[in-house]
Amino acid sequence: MSDSAITQMTTRQRKADGLMIRYADSEGGGDETVLLLNPWPESLFAWETIWSPLAQTARLVAIDLPGFGHSEGRADLLSPRAMGSFLLHLINEWGLGHPHVVGPDVGTGAVLFAASEDVDLLPSAVVGSGGASFPLEVTGPLKEIIEAPDLSGYRALDGRDIVAGALEGIERHTLSEAAREDYLTSYAGDRFVESAAYVRSYPSDLPVLAERLGDIQTPVQIIAGRHDPLVPPSNAEFLHERLPHSKLDILETGHYTWEDGADNYLKLTRSWIEAHRTARSRG
């Protein structure tokens, strides 16, 4: 993909819950609205590959969650449960109506918590590749970050270097230079360590989420990578077994399904949105 693709996602800033949030808005594409959340340690430019074709289906609004990407952060929001409440606040404050939400990776728990708090708000959701099971099942560097007594060892490193290492896990997709630099600058200095507080809350938040899954009425498409070295597909299976209205697809990729499996990710996401269109019926 050429760097010109990233220019199709023009970023802006707008406040939500008192924080300055970076976002991109396709400003068109039909009656439906799709809210896209950044994976970690990436930014909203994780969606550059599928942005243009998906924008033909719906209006797209991509955001960097608080404390991630280039959005302002706040310590009390760095957990899936708190981030779920933030999403509800943002949707209401920005007048997004009833958006479909696509939130892989760290977005998984936030989206599901939001769906559990307001059972009528989201017509559909796409999640996966994020820690979701209880007991927790994660591996590799993610497990190390979550279980470390403290993050002093990581604080001695520049976040750019940590992210550069993490991006080596992208196996097939070639990042545009603009997207790669955006990922690196998003977590430079202490930003990576600060954002890590989110995943370190998994042991306390995921047991709560597990109890709520059976009550979630939102139709959920779960997408996971069969060869994910950080979040085994057992997390996706855990969700699929407990969510009343869910569909599971496991792609032949590693962790970065939205980039390494972009064609399939786009197809599954677009078909899920089309199958759960609501704008016309809501008038």
Side-chain angles (χ1 to χ4, degrees):
M1 166 148 320
S2 66
D3 286 1
S4 63
I6 204 168
T7 64
Q8 298 172 5
M9 297 182 69
T10 302
T11 62
R12 306 169 185 172
Q13 291 189 325
R14 181 179 179 182
K15 283 199 170 183
D17 196 20
L19 296 173
M20 195 62 73
I21 302 300
R22 187 176 71 160
Y23 74 101
D25 190 335
S26 69
E27 299 181 331
D31 297 328
E32 306 293 315
T33 296
V34 180
L35 178 62
L36 301 129
L37 313 180
N38 68 278
W40 182 65
E42 297 185 332
S43 72
L44 56 78
F45 286 118
W47 304 112
E48 68 168 352
T49 304
I50 68 173
W51 182 262
S52 292
L54 189 59
Q56 298 172 16
T57 299
R59 173 197 175 191
L60 307 181
V61 178
I63 67 169
D64 285 339
L65 293 166
F68 296 92
H70 285 278
S71 285
E72 186 180 3
R74 200 169 67 218
D76 65 293
L77 293 179
L78 289 175
S79 73
R81 188 174 186 177
M83 197 67 80
S85 296
F86 170 82
L87 288 176
L88 298 179
H89 194 109
L90 179 142
I91 290 168
N92 178 65
E93 189 173 343
W94 288 12
L96 298 182
H98 295 268
H100 307 263
V101 181
V102 181
D105 192 69
V106 292
T108 296
V111 172
L112 295 176
F113 267 113
S116 75
E117 292 182 26
D118 190 333
V119 296
D120 298 318
L121 183 65
L122 309 181
S124 80
V126 179
V127 301
S129 300
S133 64
F134 178 74
L136 185 62
E137 296 182 34
V138 294
T139 56
L142 179 58
K143 180 180 175 68
E144 294 172 2
I145 290 172
I146 292 173
E147 296 183 352
D150 61 67
L151 297 180
S152 57
Y154 294 91
R155 290 190 182 279
L157 305 173
D158 187 335
R160 286 181 63 100
D161 296 331
I162 300 173
V163 173
L167 296 180
E168 293 180 2
I170 300 176
E171 300 169 339
R172 305 175 191 170
H173 175 66
T174 300
L175 290 173
S176 69
E177 287 305 313
R180 177 180 292 275
E181 184 61 19
D182 193 81
Y183 295 168
L184 296 178
T185 57
S186 289
Y187 302 96
D190 291 336
R191 282 277 291 186
F192 178 86
V193 171
E194 292 170 356
S195 64
Y198 185 95
V199 297
R200 285 170 65 82
S201 72
Y202 282 2
S204 58
D205 273 22
L206 294 184
V208 178
L209 179 61
E211 294 179 355
R212 297 188 181 189
L213 294 175
D215 296 326
I216 293 175
Q217 298 304 307
T218 301
V220 180
Q221 166 72 68
I222 308 162
I223 304 174
R226 189 179 307 279
H227 312 291
D228 192 327
L230 302 173
V231 184
S234 57
N235 288 268
E237 294 162 354
F238 180 92
L239 292 177
H240 184 48
E241 291 169 359
R242 291 162 177 78
L243 289 166
H245 312 289
S246 66
K247 177 174 175 283
L248 172 62
D249 285 273
I250 298 180
L251 307 184
E252 296 299 326
T253 69
H255 179 70
Y256 297 86
T257 55
W258 50 92
E259 287 167 329
D260 281 335
D263 289 344
N264 286 328
Y265 201 99
L266 170 64
K267 180 179 179 181
L268 290 168
T269 299
R270 186 157 51 189
S271 63
W272 196 247
I273 293 167
E274 291 289 350
H276 300 93
R277 295 178 65 85
T278 62
R280 291 173 184 168
S281 63
R282 291 181 186 277

